[in-house]
Structure formats: structure tokens, C-alpha cells
Amino acid sequence: MRSARLGPRVSSDRYAAATNALQAKRVGLPRGGSHSVTCRAEQQARMGHKRVLLLAHGKKAETPEFKEAYAWLEKVGHHIDLMKTGSPEDMSKGVKKLIAHFDDYDILIAAGGDGTINQVVNELVDQDAPKDTCLAVLPLGTANDFATSLTIRDDNLVQAMQTAVQGVSKPVDVATANGKSFLNMATGGFGTEAAKQTDSDLKDKVGGAAYLITGMTKVHELASKHAKARAPSTTHDSSTKWQKQEHGEKGTVDSWEGDLLVLAVGNAQQAGGGMKMCPEAKIDDGLLDITYVQNVPPEKVPELLQTLAMGGRDNDDLAESIKTMRVPWLEVECSDDLSINCDGEPLNDKKYKFEIQKHRIRLMVPPTAKDLFQDSKDLEDKQRQKEKELEAQAPAKAVEMLENLAMLLLSKSLDVCYYGAGALYGSSLGAWRGVTKPLT
């Protein structure tokens, strides 16, 4: 006994022809069964592809998230040279390969955490890479502070990979601490000591929040260091008691002496798993943003950590303790060794000199990273262009949705009426175009 149906049975030939017609309509081909459907990847590949050297942290490169992002990069037709790194020596070899074959690559992608990015940057500077070397970041670490400052999300690696090859190339500064390069931030004092003691299992479980949790549990170990500092003359809070002195070719140099609890030297804005230590820093202005904290009573430390984490500087109770300045260089000397975390690399010394190399390399960034740049007009223009493109695509996406619905109805059963589905498709398409006509 034949089951009830909406209309006459559709022959397999007619079904194939109908499906073909809908597919052809989507890609702009004439109707017919002999035409192959061009996939989106092939279309993008024909529009141009990048030559990519991808340096990936060995263990992180085995995760499903990385493999998905890598598959997208292959799918759209980019030429990829993948090197999995397991040691600083591997990283060095990768950068040497980039410099030796500089004209063969468009982009160097560093896939890993803040430490991996730091290793790549140091190799680029140490090996005197050209200033137009273009670096991109794929965040695979625990805190991913630098990527977060750039508004590159670590929970969507495909999107991060898209930024790596389709973002905006911007010149950026590279900072140094006693000759060691860093892109993000160098921090010292109480927070750095707590970070050194943060358990790796805790970092795996809660990510960057592990640093804040450890800091809260180490309040009883709070201790400041007696320090002296020197910097070019600039505007300081009067309560800090910086003193001016002449210093030859460097012009007027200011000096300060006192107790130092926390020090942050920022090229970018955050460190320590989301602590916005230098919330106003710009990565292209040729200056270092300095935040330093003087003595704070132990009972005020939780409030201090919360204030620093939020990037706030308007806490009246802590106004006398948190100081900021913006300078091209800074010298610090402590009574005993001061531990510094330089984008994941530990340093330990009594004396430090922090400097900046303006526009040392180029960086691929998303348009949403404009707050990190002094010169952000091109990013703002790109963002507006992207918004207009999304608006323009909205009607086409709606039509595509209706086409998909019609194809779904056809594919469910040969018993679905060919003419009924065609009418649904035609009337839906016509109705949508009628609605959108005033908008176009």
C-alpha cells in the first residue's frame, strides 16, 4: 500500500536536476548536471594566498584545536611550512630559516604561549631580522596575555588563524630588559615571586586565574625591596619625590629612591593572567609605560590585586601607592636581587636597564586591537569596512538559508513534490527580494 504524499512521485532524474539547479544557483553556474560546484576554499585560493612559516610548540601542535586551525589554513589554499619546536634550539633554527629565505615567506606565525612568542621575538632581534618581518600570533598558552591585549581570542583558533593571514600588518616596538627582548611586559616584585610559585596543574585547570589565586595565598610573604631608579625627565606624582639632575648627553634625568613592592614595564597592557598593569600602553609609540607600587599594608593586598587586575587607577585608598609614568628608558637598582618575569623568561639581577626599539618588527593584528595602537586609523577604517561587508552579506545569507531549506526538503524523500518545493523556493526568494528591495 502506497503511503500518502504531498504530490506525484519525483523521478530520480528530476530530483538530481532540481538539486543541481539549486547548487548551480548558489555558485553562479548555469543549470545542468555536468557542472561541478566550486567550493569556497577554491574561490579564496584563487584570490591569492600567503606563504607561511608556522613555528608551533610541539605539544600544543597535537591538540584538536590547533589541528582544526591548521586544516582551515590548508583549506583556503595558503602555502604552509610547519616546524614543530621542542626547544629553544628548534626555535632558533626556524628563525634562521626565515631570515635565510626571507623572500620566500610572507608571514611568520608563532603558535604557543607568551613564552613561545618571547623566544621567537628574541631570535628575530638577536639574528638581526629585517624590520619588515611580519609576525603573527596563534595563542596556545595558559594565560595568553599578549594575544588577549591584541583582542585575539584563545577559544577560537580558527578565527585567530584568520587574523594571522588576513589581519592588518602594523609596525610595533620591541622592548628590552638588560638586552633581553620582550613584546608584552616585564614585571618584578611581589607578583613575579607569586607567579614563579604557581602550580602548573592549577594553571592547566583554571588558566591565567592561577596567578591571581597564588598571589592571594602568598600575602604573608609580602616584602618590598629598597630601590633606586633613574629615567628621563617627565611628569611624576609629587608624592613620589623624583629629583632632577643633569646628565650630559641624555639631558635632564630624574632619580628616585624608596621601597618598591611591584614593578611593571609595559610595551603592551597586561600580564600575569589578565592583570592590566599598564592599561594605557601603546605598542607603537616608542615609549615604555611604567607602573610601580610602593609599600602597601598586607591587609590591602587583595584590594591592590583587584585594582591592578581591572586596570583601575582611581582607587583613593591606593592612590598614594600606585604610580605611573611613560618614558623611553628606565634604570632600576635594588639592594639585593630582583626577580623579573620578561614575557615568561625569568631574569634575576640587582640592576636593570629597560629600553625600547621603535617599530622593530611588524605584527598581524585584528581591527579590534585599535586600543593598543597610537596610530589606529587604518584599524578603524578596516573595522568599518568589515561592518559594511557584514551588512551587505546579510540578504545573501538569508537567501542562502532559504535555498538550503529547499534543498533539505528535496533530499528528505523523493516523495516530496518537485513542483511544491520549487514553488516554496521561488515564492520565498521572491518574497525576500521584495522585502529587501527598498534596502538595496
Side-chain angles (χ1 to χ4, degrees):
M1 184 175 180
R2 296 179 65 177
S3 59
R5 56 182 184 270
L6 297 175
R9 183 180 298 275
V10 179
S11 70
S12 59
D13 289 343
R14 179 175 283 177
Y15 167 73
T19 305
N20 236 351
L22 288 172
Q23 290 178 324
K25 180 75 175 175
R26 295 179 63 186
V27 296
L29 294 175
R31 296 187 179 188
S34 61
H35 297 280
S36 62
V37 178
T38 304
C39 69
R40 190 179 304 273
E42 291 170 346
Q43 291 173 327
Q44 291 183 357
R46 284 202 297 266
M47 293 173 62
H49 60 269
K50 301 288 177 64
R51 299 162 301 175
V52 176
L53 177 58
L54 176 55
L55 299 183
H57 185 285
K59 290 174 63 177
K60 302 291 185 179
E62 300 303 322
T63 63
E65 294 80 7
F66 174 83
K67 291 179 179 179
E68 181 185 11
Y70 183 85
W72 176 87
L73 199 61
E74 282 189 315
K75 179 181 178 182
V76 297
H78 296 294
H79 172 77
I80 315 161
D81 194 350
L82 173 63
M83 293 184 66
K84 295 181 181 180
T85 62
S87 67
E89 290 75 20
D90 294 339
M91 201 71 71
S92 179
K93 289 177 183 177
V95 173
K96 283 180 180 176
K97 180 175 182 177
L98 172 77
I99 295 174
H101 304 279
F102 189 73
D103 292 335
D104 294 337
Y105 297 105
D106 297 305
I107 301 169
L108 170 64
I109 300 179
D114 293 317
T116 298
I117 298 167
N118 180 62
Q119 289 178 15
V120 171
V121 170
N122 272 274
E123 288 295 337
L124 289 172
V125 174
D126 292 348
Q127 296 187 38
D128 198 25
K131 288 189 175 182
D132 58 346
T133 299
C134 193
L135 176 67
V137 173
L138 191 71
L140 301 177
T142 300
N144 299 311
D145 281 304
F146 184 62
T148 302
S149 290
L150 293 171
T151 68
I152 297 175
R153 294 169 50 181
D154 57 8
D155 61 348
N156 190 337
L157 291 187
V158 172
Q159 187 179 78
M161 191 69 88
Q162 290 171 349
T163 295
V165 293
Q166 299 173 355
V168 181
S169 174
K170 297 281 291 180
V172 297
D173 307 335
V174 173
T176 60
N178 287 358
K180 289 288 185 181
S181 299
F182 61 96
L183 262 183
N184 188 33
M185 191 175 298
T187 57
F190 169 68
T192 304
E193 294 295 336
K196 286 167 59 178
Q197 300 176 45
T198 301
D199 183 73
S200 58
D201 289 339
L202 183 62
K203 288 193 290 184
D204 290 338
K205 291 176 181 176
V206 300
Y211 299 111
L212 183 59
I213 293 170
T214 303
M216 298 287 282
T217 64
K218 301 294 180 182
V219 172
H220 63 284
E221 299 177 10
L222 185 69
S224 59
K225 293 181 181 290
H226 188 74
K228 298 177 181 179
R230 297 170 69 251
S233 287
T234 186
T235 302
H236 306 287
D237 190 303
S238 58
S239 64
T240 314
K241 297 180 181 178
W242 283 79
Q243 312 230 335
K244 295 185 181 294
Q245 61 181 14
E246 297 299 321
H247 192 77
E249 294 181 357
K250 291 188 176 181
T252 305
V253 175
D254 294 354
S255 62
W256 167 82
E257 183 173 352
D259 291 329
L260 183 67
L261 181 65
V262 175
L263 173 66
V265 181
N267 187 35
Q269 297 177 353
Q270 73 173 54
M275 305 279 282
K276 294 186 177 181
M277 303 293 291
C278 302
E280 302 299 324
K282 307 296 181 185
I283 200 170
D284 63 340
D285 63 355
L287 296 169
L288 297 166
D289 272 48
I290 314 296
T291 296
Y292 59 104
V293 181
Q294 297 173 283
N295 275 333
V296 173
E299 65 272 15
K300 289 285 186 181
V301 170
E303 187 179 355
L304 170 67
L305 293 176
Q306 182 181 16
T307 300
L308 293 176
M310 300 301 294
R313 296 293 182 269
D314 55 357
N315 187 318
D316 293 338
D317 292 339
L318 297 171
E320 293 299 311
S321 299
I322 302 177
K323 309 296 179 184
T324 61
M325 54 196 270
R326 185 171 290 145
V327 292
W329 61 267
L330 172 72
E331 294 176 350
V332 177
E333 181 178 357
C334 292
S335 53
D336 54 3
D337 284 356
L338 174 66
S339 294
I340 292 286
N341 185 309
C342 199
D343 279 358
E345 181 174 355
L347 303 177
N348 205 53
D349 211 329
K350 290 183 179 180
K351 294 182 180 180
Y352 289 95
K353 184 168 185 177
F354 302 95
E355 298 176 283
I356 196 81
Q357 301 179 57
K358 187 170 184 178
H359 295 180
R360 179 60 186 83
I361 60 173
R362 300 189 71 86
L363 190 68
M364 293 292 281
V365 302
T368 48
K370 57 184 182 294
D371 289 344
L372 197 57
F373 288 86
Q374 185 180 56
D375 178 14
S376 61
K377 185 178 183 305
D378 55 344
L379 295 176
E380 293 168 359
D381 291 344
K382 182 80 171 180
Q383 181 69 10
R384 281 192 291 269
Q385 178 187 349
K386 188 174 181 181
E387 290 171 355
K388 288 181 180 178
E389 289 174 353
L390 289 174
E391 290 176 3
Q393 291 170 7
K397 286 184 179 294
V399 171
E400 182 179 353
M401 182 176 65
L402 292 171
E403 291 173 344
N404 287 337
L405 176 60
M407 290 180 68
L408 179 63
L409 290 173
L410 284 171
S411 64
K412 282 294 183 181
S413 170
L414 292 179
D415 287 338
V416 175
C417 177
Y418 167 76
Y419 298 104
L424 172 63
Y425 167 73
S427 60
S428 299
L429 180 58
W432 172 255
R433 286 177 175 164
V435 171
T436 59
K437 190 173 182 180
L439 301 177
T440 58

